[in-house]
Amino acid sequence: MEGEVKKVLFVNSEIFPYLPETQISKIGRFLPQGTLELKREVRSFMPRFGLINERKNSLHEVIRLSGMNIIIGDVDRPLVIKVTSISAARMQVYFIDNDDYFRRKALFHDDKGNFFKDNEDRAIFFARGVLETVKKLRWEPDIIHCQGWIGHILPLYLRKEYKDDPIFARSKVIVSLYNDIPGEQFAPDFAKRIKFGSITNEDVSLLARKASGISLAKLAVRYSDGIIMGSNDVPAEEIAFCNKEGKPVLPFNAASLEDGSYIKQYNDFYDQVFAK
């Protein structure tokens, strides 16, 4: 069928067992496997944080995918792609790596609990790195599912800068919302730094008014095709914005996360969004 979902790209902030077990990391681990078992092709991406033991997890660089640079501000940053396999699930996980952004032994906060001052640049690099790598793979996703705040820029880039690329011609974007960084503040020039190519001031106006975690989530919602409520404590301001935008929304379902039936629910939602 022309409208059937065949390929799903997962863009994750966390995947277990590479990072500690959390709600997001567990879904990042088991949702792709369940989707694969439903006879769909999958690809999974996450940042190669310094907490990840490369030797223990058998990560190795993919030379044919590495080697390009991504310009953020006025600085060229080399993009390195690494990969490993989850043998029990018969699937690969790709890691976006750069020494300046992802070698530190922490995720998003320093040892005093402060939000890293370059987190916005890390998110820009991650989103662009994923899209450029998928282009190099020549793999055309039907659904792109972003999980965790660090993937929230990707919907904007896909809709505004990659919209004419044949790799993404059919792609629909779904964003899972969590209560991960609503109170965090980014640098005041975040909206300016996020821009490249044909992206305009109007496209990033939500961040220009207030560069916060909630504003970034709203940006993701605006340029997505569907929303999944990933937790029961998503900020009310984000929920209200989803309702205002009129996007399809899959409500939070605690029981389905407990018994694993969320995998089928999420995949049914993929079909619903892709068919629109």
Side-chain angles (χ1 to χ4, degrees), residues 206-267:
L206 285 167
L207 281 176
R209 289 193 288 270
K210 187 177 182 181
S212 68
I214 286 180
S215 296
L216 182 59
K218 289 180 179 179
L219 187 80
V221 169
R222 173 156 292 173
Y223 293 104
S224 69
D225 300 290
I227 310 298
I228 294 174
M229 294 299 168
S231 63
N232 63 355
D233 58 354
V234 174
E237 187 176 344
E238 294 178 21
I239 295 173
F241 188 81
C242 291
N243 294 332
K244 179 182 175 182
E245 291 289 301
K247 304 293 175 67
V249 175
L250 183 66
F252 177 71
N253 185 332
S256 72
L257 291 172
E258 288 293 327
D259 64 20
S261 62
Y262 77 92
I263 292 172
K264 179 66 163 56
Q265 291 180 5
Y266 282 23
N267 274 270

Short mmCIF file of all heavy atoms in Angstrom, two decimals, residues 206-267:
data_model
loop_
_atom_site.label_atom_id
_atom_site.label_comp_id
_atom_site.label_asym_id
_atom_site.label_seq_id
_atom_site.Cartn_x
_atom_site.Cartn_y
_atom_site.Cartn_z
N LEU A 206 9.12 31.67 18.41
CA LEU A 206 8.79 31.15 19.74
C LEU A 206 9.99 31.19 20.67
O LEU A 206 9.86 31.48 21.86
CB LEU A 206 8.28 29.71 19.62
CG LEU A 206 6.85 29.53 19.09
CD1 LEU A 206 6.60 28.07 18.72
CD2 LEU A 206 5.83 30.00 20.12
N LEU A 207 11.17 30.89 20.13
CA LEU A 207 12.39 30.92 20.95
C LEU A 207 12.92 32.33 21.12
O LEU A 207 13.58 32.62 22.12
CB LEU A 207 13.46 30.04 20.30
CG LEU A 207 13.34 28.54 20.53
CD1 LEU A 207 14.42 27.80 19.75
CD2 LEU A 207 13.44 28.19 22.00
N ALA A 208 12.65 33.19 20.16
CA ALA A 208 13.13 34.57 20.26
C ALA A 208 12.45 35.30 21.42
O ALA A 208 13.06 36.14 22.09
CB ALA A 208 12.88 35.31 18.95
N ARG A 209 11.17 34.94 21.66
CA ARG A 209 10.45 35.60 22.76
C ARG A 209 10.92 35.12 24.11
O ARG A 209 11.03 35.90 25.06
CB ARG A 209 8.94 35.34 22.59
CG ARG A 209 8.32 36.10 21.43
CD ARG A 209 6.80 36.08 21.50
NE ARG A 209 6.25 34.77 21.17
CZ ARG A 209 5.92 34.41 19.94
NH1 ARG A 209 6.09 35.26 18.92
NH2 ARG A 209 5.41 33.21 19.70
N LYS A 210 11.20 33.82 24.22
CA LYS A 210 11.68 33.25 25.48
C LYS A 210 12.39 31.95 25.20
O LYS A 210 11.77 30.98 24.76
CB LYS A 210 10.51 33.03 26.45
CG LYS A 210 10.97 32.59 27.84
CD LYS A 210 9.78 32.44 28.78
CE LYS A 210 10.23 32.06 30.17
NZ LYS A 210 9.09 31.88 31.10
N ALA A 211 13.69 31.91 25.45
CA ALA A 211 14.49 30.73 25.11
C ALA A 211 14.50 29.76 26.28
O ALA A 211 15.48 29.61 27.01
CB ALA A 211 15.92 31.14 24.75
N SER A 212 13.37 29.06 26.47
CA SER A 212 13.22 28.14 27.59
C SER A 212 12.93 26.73 27.09
O SER A 212 12.65 26.51 25.91
CB SER A 212 12.07 28.60 28.49
OG SER A 212 10.83 28.47 27.81
N GLY A 213 12.95 25.78 28.02
CA GLY A 213 12.61 24.41 27.67
C GLY A 213 11.19 24.29 27.15
O GLY A 213 10.91 23.53 26.22
N ILE A 214 10.26 25.05 27.73
CA ILE A 214 8.87 25.02 27.28
C ILE A 214 8.75 25.61 25.89
O ILE A 214 8.04 25.07 25.03
CB ILE A 214 7.96 25.76 28.28
CG1 ILE A 214 7.78 24.90 29.53
CG2 ILE A 214 6.62 26.09 27.65
CD1 ILE A 214 6.89 25.53 30.60
N SER A 215 9.46 26.69 25.61
CA SER A 215 9.42 27.30 24.27
C SER A 215 9.97 26.35 23.22
O SER A 215 9.45 26.27 22.10
CB SER A 215 10.20 28.61 24.26
OG SER A 215 9.61 29.56 25.11
N LEU A 216 11.03 25.61 23.57
CA LEU A 216 11.61 24.65 22.64
C LEU A 216 10.61 23.52 22.36
O LEU A 216 10.48 23.07 21.21
CB LEU A 216 12.91 24.09 23.19
CG LEU A 216 13.65 23.09 22.29
CD1 LEU A 216 14.02 23.71 20.96
CD2 LEU A 216 14.91 22.57 23.00
N ALA A 217 9.90 23.06 23.39
CA ALA A 217 8.88 22.02 23.19
C ALA A 217 7.78 22.54 22.27
O ALA A 217 7.29 21.82 21.40
CB ALA A 217 8.31 21.59 24.53
N LYS A 218 7.38 23.80 22.45
CA LYS A 218 6.36 24.39 21.58
C LYS A 218 6.84 24.44 20.14
O LYS A 218 6.06 24.21 19.20
CB LYS A 218 6.01 25.80 22.06
CG LYS A 218 5.23 25.86 23.36
CD LYS A 218 4.95 27.32 23.73
CE LYS A 218 4.15 27.45 25.00
NZ LYS A 218 3.90 28.87 25.36
N LEU A 219 8.12 24.77 19.95
CA LEU A 219 8.68 24.79 18.60
C LEU A 219 8.58 23.42 17.95
O LEU A 219 8.21 23.29 16.78
CB LEU A 219 10.15 25.24 18.65
CG LEU A 219 10.82 25.48 17.29
CD1 LEU A 219 10.42 26.85 16.73
CD2 LEU A 219 12.34 25.40 17.42
N ALA A 220 8.90 22.38 18.74
CA ALA A 220 8.80 21.01 18.23
C ALA A 220 7.36 20.67 17.84
O ALA A 220 7.11 20.06 16.79
CB ALA A 220 9.31 20.02 19.28
N VAL A 221 6.41 21.08 18.67
CA VAL A 221 5.00 20.82 18.38
C VAL A 221 4.57 21.52 17.10
O VAL A 221 3.89 20.94 16.25
CB VAL A 221 4.12 21.29 19.57
CG1 VAL A 221 2.64 21.28 19.19
CG2 VAL A 221 4.36 20.39 20.79
N ARG A 222 4.96 22.77 16.95
CA ARG A 222 4.54 23.56 15.79
C ARG A 222 4.95 22.90 14.47
O ARG A 222 4.20 22.95 13.49
CB ARG A 222 5.12 24.97 15.86
CG ARG A 222 4.88 25.81 14.62
CD ARG A 222 4.92 27.29 14.91
NE ARG A 222 3.78 27.69 15.73
CZ ARG A 222 3.63 28.92 16.25
NH1 ARG A 222 4.57 29.83 16.05
NH2 ARG A 222 2.56 29.21 16.97
N TYR A 223 6.12 22.29 14.42
CA TYR A 223 6.61 21.73 13.16
C TYR A 223 6.48 20.21 13.08
O TYR A 223 7.02 19.59 12.17
CB TYR A 223 8.06 22.18 12.93
CG TYR A 223 8.15 23.67 12.69
CD1 TYR A 223 8.60 24.53 13.70
CD2 TYR A 223 7.72 24.22 11.49
CE1 TYR A 223 8.65 25.90 13.49
CE2 TYR A 223 7.76 25.59 11.28
CZ TYR A 223 8.22 26.42 12.28
OH TYR A 223 8.24 27.79 12.07
N SER A 224 5.75 19.63 14.02
CA SER A 224 5.52 18.18 13.98
C SER A 224 4.17 17.88 13.35
O SER A 224 3.35 18.77 13.11
CB SER A 224 5.60 17.60 15.39
OG SER A 224 4.49 18.05 16.17
N ASP A 225 3.93 16.60 13.12
CA ASP A 225 2.66 16.14 12.55
C ASP A 225 1.79 15.42 13.57
O ASP A 225 0.61 15.19 13.33
CB ASP A 225 2.93 15.20 11.37
CG ASP A 225 3.72 15.89 10.27
OD1 ASP A 225 3.15 16.76 9.60
OD2 ASP A 225 4.91 15.56 10.09
N GLY A 226 2.36 15.05 14.71
CA GLY A 226 1.62 14.37 15.76
C GLY A 226 2.38 14.43 17.07
O GLY A 226 3.61 14.56 17.07
N ILE A 227 1.64 14.37 18.18
CA ILE A 227 2.23 14.48 19.51
C ILE A 227 1.85 13.28 20.35
O ILE A 227 0.68 12.87 20.36
CB ILE A 227 1.74 15.76 20.23
CG1 ILE A 227 1.88 16.99 19.34
CG2 ILE A 227 2.46 15.94 21.56
CD1 ILE A 227 3.29 17.32 18.94
N ILE A 228 2.81 12.72 21.07
CA ILE A 228 2.55 11.68 22.05
C ILE A 228 2.86 12.25 23.44
O ILE A 228 3.95 12.79 23.66
CB ILE A 228 3.41 10.43 21.80
CG1 ILE A 228 3.01 9.76 20.48
CG2 ILE A 228 3.29 9.44 22.95
CD1 ILE A 228 3.89 8.59 20.08
N MET A 229 1.91 12.15 24.34
CA MET A 229 2.15 12.56 25.72
C MET A 229 2.91 11.44 26.42
O MET A 229 2.34 10.39 26.74
CB MET A 229 0.84 12.88 26.43
CG MET A 229 0.12 14.09 25.87
SD MET A 229 1.12 15.60 26.02
CE MET A 229 0.18 16.74 24.98
N GLY A 230 4.19 11.64 26.63
CA GLY A 230 5.04 10.58 27.14
C GLY A 230 5.01 10.40 28.63
O GLY A 230 5.49 9.39 29.15
N SER A 231 4.47 11.38 29.35
CA SER A 231 4.38 11.27 30.81
C SER A 231 3.11 11.98 31.27
O SER A 231 2.47 12.71 30.51
CB SER A 231 5.62 11.88 31.48
OG SER A 231 5.72 13.26 31.20
N ASN A 232 2.77 11.78 32.54
CA ASN A 232 1.54 12.38 33.07
C ASN A 232 1.76 13.75 33.67
O ASN A 232 0.84 14.33 34.24
CB ASN A 232 0.90 11.46 34.11
CG ASN A 232 1.79 11.24 35.33
OD1 ASN A 232 2.93 11.71 35.37
ND2 ASN A 232 1.27 10.53 36.32
N ASP A 233 2.99 14.28 33.56
CA ASP A 233 3.29 15.59 34.13
C ASP A 233 3.84 16.57 33.09
O ASP A 233 4.63 17.45 33.41
CB ASP A 233 4.25 15.46 35.31
CG ASP A 233 5.56 14.78 34.95
OD1 ASP A 233 5.68 14.30 33.80
OD2 ASP A 233 6.47 14.73 35.81
N VAL A 234 3.40 16.41 31.84
CA VAL A 234 3.76 17.39 30.81
C VAL A 234 3.19 18.74 31.23
O VAL A 234 2.02 18.82 31.64
CB VAL A 234 3.20 16.98 29.44
CG1 VAL A 234 3.44 18.07 28.39
CG2 VAL A 234 3.81 15.66 28.99
N PRO A 235 3.97 19.82 31.19
CA PRO A 235 3.48 21.12 31.64
C PRO A 235 2.18 21.53 30.94
O PRO A 235 2.02 21.33 29.73
CB PRO A 235 4.62 22.07 31.28
CG PRO A 235 5.84 21.20 31.34
CD PRO A 235 5.41 19.86 30.83
N ALA A 236 1.26 22.10 31.71
CA ALA A 236 -0.04 22.50 31.19
C ALA A 236 0.09 23.48 30.02
O ALA A 236 -0.72 23.46 29.09
CB ALA A 236 -0.88 23.11 32.31
N GLU A 237 1.12 24.31 30.07
CA GLU A 237 1.33 25.29 29.00
C GLU A 237 1.61 24.58 27.67
O GLU A 237 1.15 25.02 26.61
CB GLU A 237 2.49 26.22 29.37
CG GLU A 237 2.70 27.37 28.40
CD GLU A 237 3.78 28.34 28.83
OE1 GLU A 237 4.18 28.29 30.03
OE2 GLU A 237 4.24 29.13 28.00
N GLU A 238 2.36 23.49 27.72
CA GLU A 238 2.64 22.73 26.50
C GLU A 238 1.38 22.02 25.98
O GLU A 238 1.13 21.98 24.78
CB GLU A 238 3.76 21.72 26.76
CG GLU A 238 5.10 22.35 27.05
CD GLU A 238 6.18 21.32 27.34
OE1 GLU A 238 6.02 20.15 26.92
OE2 GLU A 238 7.19 21.68 27.98
N ILE A 239 0.60 21.46 26.91
CA ILE A 239 -0.64 20.79 26.52
C ILE A 239 -1.59 21.77 25.86
O ILE A 239 -2.21 21.48 24.82
CB ILE A 239 -1.30 20.13 27.74
CG1 ILE A 239 -0.39 19.01 28.29
CG2 ILE A 239 -2.67 19.57 27.39
CD1 ILE A 239 -0.88 18.41 29.58
N ALA A 240 -1.72 22.97 26.44
CA ALA A 240 -2.60 23.98 25.87
C ALA A 240 -2.13 24.38 24.47
O ALA A 240 -2.96 24.60 23.57
CB ALA A 240 -2.64 25.20 26.79
N PHE A 241 -0.83 24.46 24.29
CA PHE A 241 -0.29 24.82 22.97
C PHE A 241 -0.60 23.73 21.94
O PHE A 241 -0.95 24.03 20.80
CB PHE A 241 1.21 25.06 23.06
CG PHE A 241 1.83 25.61 21.81
CD1 PHE A 241 1.75 26.96 21.52
CD2 PHE A 241 2.48 24.77 20.91
CE1 PHE A 241 2.31 27.47 20.36
CE2 PHE A 241 3.03 25.27 19.75
CZ PHE A 241 2.96 26.63 19.48
N CYS A 242 -0.49 22.47 22.35
CA CYS A 242 -0.84 21.36 21.45
C CYS A 242 -2.30 21.46 21.00
O CYS A 242 -2.61 21.30 19.81
CB CYS A 242 -0.63 20.02 22.15
SG CYS A 242 1.08 19.59 22.48
N ASN A 243 -3.17 21.77 21.94
CA ASN A 243 -4.59 21.90 21.61
C ASN A 243 -4.83 23.06 20.66
O ASN A 243 -5.63 22.96 19.72
CB ASN A 243 -5.40 22.09 22.89
CG ASN A 243 -5.37 20.86 23.79
OD1 ASN A 243 -5.21 19.74 23.31
ND2 ASN A 243 -5.52 21.06 25.10
N LYS A 244 -4.11 24.14 20.88
CA LYS A 244 -4.25 25.31 20.02
C LYS A 244 -3.77 25.02 18.60
O LYS A 244 -4.38 25.48 17.62
CB LYS A 244 -3.45 26.47 20.61
CG LYS A 244 -3.51 27.75 19.79
CD LYS A 244 -2.65 28.84 20.44
CE LYS A 244 -2.60 30.09 19.57
NZ LYS A 244 -1.71 31.13 20.17
N GLU A 245 -2.69 24.26 18.48
CA GLU A 245 -2.13 23.94 17.16
C GLU A 245 -2.99 22.94 16.40
O GLU A 245 -2.88 22.82 15.18
CB GLU A 245 -0.71 23.41 17.31
CG GLU A 245 0.31 24.43 17.76
CD GLU A 245 0.63 25.46 16.69
OE1 GLU A 245 1.09 25.07 15.60
OE2 GLU A 245 0.39 26.66 16.95
N GLY A 246 -3.82 22.18 17.11
CA GLY A 246 -4.73 21.26 16.46
C GLY A 246 -4.08 20.01 15.87
O GLY A 246 -4.60 19.41 14.93
N LYS A 247 -2.94 19.61 16.44
CA LYS A 247 -2.26 18.41 15.94
C LYS A 247 -2.87 17.14 16.57
O LYS A 247 -3.38 17.19 17.68
CB LYS A 247 -0.77 18.47 16.30
CG LYS A 247 -0.04 19.72 15.81
CD LYS A 247 0.05 19.76 14.30
CE LYS A 247 0.66 21.05 13.79
NZ LYS A 247 2.07 21.23 14.14
N PRO A 248 -2.81 16.01 15.88
CA PRO A 248 -3.24 14.75 16.50
C PRO A 248 -2.41 14.47 17.76
O PRO A 248 -1.19 14.63 17.74
CB PRO A 248 -2.97 13.70 15.42
CG PRO A 248 -2.91 14.47 14.14
CD PRO A 248 -2.36 15.81 14.48
N VAL A 249 -3.08 14.08 18.82
CA VAL A 249 -2.40 13.84 20.10
C VAL A 249 -2.78 12.45 20.62
O VAL A 249 -3.96 12.10 20.67
CB VAL A 249 -2.79 14.91 21.15
CG1 VAL A 249 -2.18 14.56 22.52
CG2 VAL A 249 -2.33 16.29 20.71
N LEU A 250 -1.76 11.68 21.01
CA LEU A 250 -1.99 10.41 21.69
C LEU A 250 -1.82 10.66 23.18
O LEU A 250 -0.73 10.99 23.64
CB LEU A 250 -0.99 9.35 21.21
CG LEU A 250 -1.17 7.95 21.80
CD1 LEU A 250 -2.49 7.34 21.35
CD2 LEU A 250 0.00 7.05 21.41
N PRO A 251 -2.89 10.51 23.97
CA PRO A 251 -2.81 10.81 25.41
C PRO A 251 -1.88 9.85 26.15
O PRO A 251 -1.62 8.73 25.70
CB PRO A 251 -4.26 10.65 25.89
CG PRO A 251 -5.11 10.69 24.66
CD PRO A 251 -4.25 10.12 23.56
N PHE A 252 -1.44 10.27 27.31
CA PHE A 252 -0.62 9.42 28.17
C PHE A 252 -1.45 8.25 28.68
O PHE A 252 -2.60 8.41 29.08
CB PHE A 252 -0.07 10.23 29.35
CG PHE A 252 0.72 9.41 30.33
CD1 PHE A 252 1.96 8.93 29.99
CD2 PHE A 252 0.20 9.13 31.60
CE1 PHE A 252 2.70 8.16 30.89
CE2 PHE A 252 0.93 8.38 32.50
CZ PHE A 252 2.18 7.89 32.15
N ASN A 253 -0.83 7.07 28.71
CA ASN A 253 -1.51 5.86 29.17
C ASN A 253 -0.54 5.07 30.03
O ASN A 253 0.31 4.33 29.51
CB ASN A 253 -1.99 5.04 27.98
CG ASN A 253 -2.81 3.83 28.38
OD1 ASN A 253 -2.63 3.27 29.45
ND2 ASN A 253 -3.72 3.41 27.51
N ALA A 254 -0.63 5.25 31.34
CA ALA A 254 0.31 4.61 32.25
C ALA A 254 0.24 3.08 32.17
O ALA A 254 1.27 2.40 32.21
CB ALA A 254 0.05 5.07 33.69
N ALA A 255 -0.96 2.55 32.06
CA ALA A 255 -1.12 1.09 32.03
C ALA A 255 -0.43 0.47 30.83
O ALA A 255 0.18 -0.61 30.93
CB ALA A 255 -2.61 0.72 32.03
N SER A 256 -0.48 1.15 29.69
CA SER A 256 0.14 0.60 28.47
C SER A 256 1.66 0.59 28.59
O SER A 256 2.32 -0.28 28.01
CB SER A 256 -0.30 1.40 27.24
OG SER A 256 0.29 2.68 27.22
N LEU A 257 2.22 1.53 29.33
CA LEU A 257 3.66 1.53 29.56
C LEU A 257 4.06 0.39 30.48
O LEU A 257 5.16 -0.16 30.36
CB LEU A 257 4.11 2.87 30.14
CG LEU A 257 4.02 4.08 29.20
CD1 LEU A 257 4.31 5.37 29.97
CD2 LEU A 257 4.97 3.94 28.03
N GLU A 258 3.19 0.05 31.40
CA GLU A 258 3.47 -1.04 32.34
C GLU A 258 3.43 -2.40 31.65
O GLU A 258 4.29 -3.25 31.88
CB GLU A 258 2.48 -1.01 33.49
CG GLU A 258 2.67 0.14 34.47
CD GLU A 258 3.97 0.03 35.25
OE1 GLU A 258 4.38 -1.11 35.54
OE2 GLU A 258 4.56 1.08 35.56
N ASP A 259 2.42 -2.61 30.80
CA ASP A 259 2.26 -3.94 30.20
C ASP A 259 2.84 -4.07 28.80
O ASP A 259 2.79 -5.14 28.19
CB ASP A 259 0.79 -4.36 30.20
CG ASP A 259 -0.11 -3.47 29.33
OD1 ASP A 259 0.40 -2.77 28.44
OD2 ASP A 259 -1.34 -3.48 29.56
N GLY A 260 3.42 -2.99 28.27
CA GLY A 260 4.07 -3.04 26.96
C GLY A 260 3.14 -2.82 25.78
O GLY A 260 3.60 -2.78 24.63
N SER A 261 1.85 -2.65 26.04
CA SER A 261 0.92 -2.45 24.92
C SER A 261 1.07 -1.09 24.25
O SER A 261 0.49 -0.85 23.19
CB SER A 261 -0.52 -2.65 25.40
OG SER A 261 -0.88 -1.71 26.39
N TYR A 262 1.86 -0.18 24.88
CA TYR A 262 2.11 1.12 24.24
C TYR A 262 2.77 0.95 22.87
O TYR A 262 2.59 1.81 21.99
CB TYR A 262 2.97 2.00 25.15
CG TYR A 262 4.44 1.63 25.17
CD1 TYR A 262 5.34 2.24 24.30
CD2 TYR A 262 4.94 0.66 26.04
CE1 TYR A 262 6.69 1.90 24.30
CE2 TYR A 262 6.27 0.32 26.05
CZ TYR A 262 7.14 0.93 25.18
OH TYR A 262 8.47 0.60 25.18
N ILE A 263 3.52 -0.12 22.68
CA ILE A 263 4.21 -0.33 21.40
C ILE A 263 3.20 -0.41 20.27
O ILE A 263 3.35 0.24 19.22
CB ILE A 263 5.11 -1.58 21.46
CG1 ILE A 263 6.27 -1.34 22.44
CG2 ILE A 263 5.64 -1.93 20.07
CD1 ILE A 263 7.11 -2.57 22.72
N LYS A 264 2.16 -1.18 20.46
CA LYS A 264 1.11 -1.28 19.45
C LYS A 264 0.36 0.05 19.33
O LYS A 264 0.04 0.50 18.21
CB LYS A 264 0.14 -2.39 19.83
CG LYS A 264 -1.04 -2.58 18.87
CD LYS A 264 -0.59 -3.07 17.50
CE LYS A 264 -1.74 -3.65 16.68
NZ LYS A 264 -2.86 -2.73 16.51
N GLN A 265 0.07 0.70 20.44
CA GLN A 265 -0.62 1.98 20.41
C GLN A 265 0.18 3.03 19.65
O GLN A 265 -0.36 3.78 18.83
CB GLN A 265 -0.91 2.47 21.83
CG GLN A 265 -1.95 1.65 22.57
CD GLN A 265 -2.20 2.16 23.98
OE1 GLN A 265 -1.66 3.19 24.38
NE2 GLN A 265 -3.01 1.43 24.75
N TYR A 266 1.49 3.10 19.93
CA TYR A 266 2.34 4.06 19.24
C TYR A 266 2.37 3.77 17.74
O TYR A 266 2.29 4.69 16.91
CB TYR A 266 3.76 4.03 19.80
CG TYR A 266 3.96 4.75 21.12
CD1 TYR A 266 2.90 4.99 21.99
CD2 TYR A 266 5.22 5.16 21.52
CE1 TYR A 266 3.10 5.64 23.20
CE2 TYR A 266 5.43 5.81 22.72
CZ TYR A 266 4.37 6.05 23.56
OH TYR A 266 4.57 6.69 24.76
N ASN A 267 2.47 2.49 17.37
CA ASN A 267 2.53 2.15 15.96
C ASN A 267 1.20 2.41 15.25
O ASN A 267 1.18 2.81 14.08
CB ASN A 267 2.98 0.70 15.79
CG ASN A 267 4.49 0.56 15.77
OD1 ASN A 267 5.13 0.63 14.72
ND2 ASN A 267 5.08 0.40 16.95
#
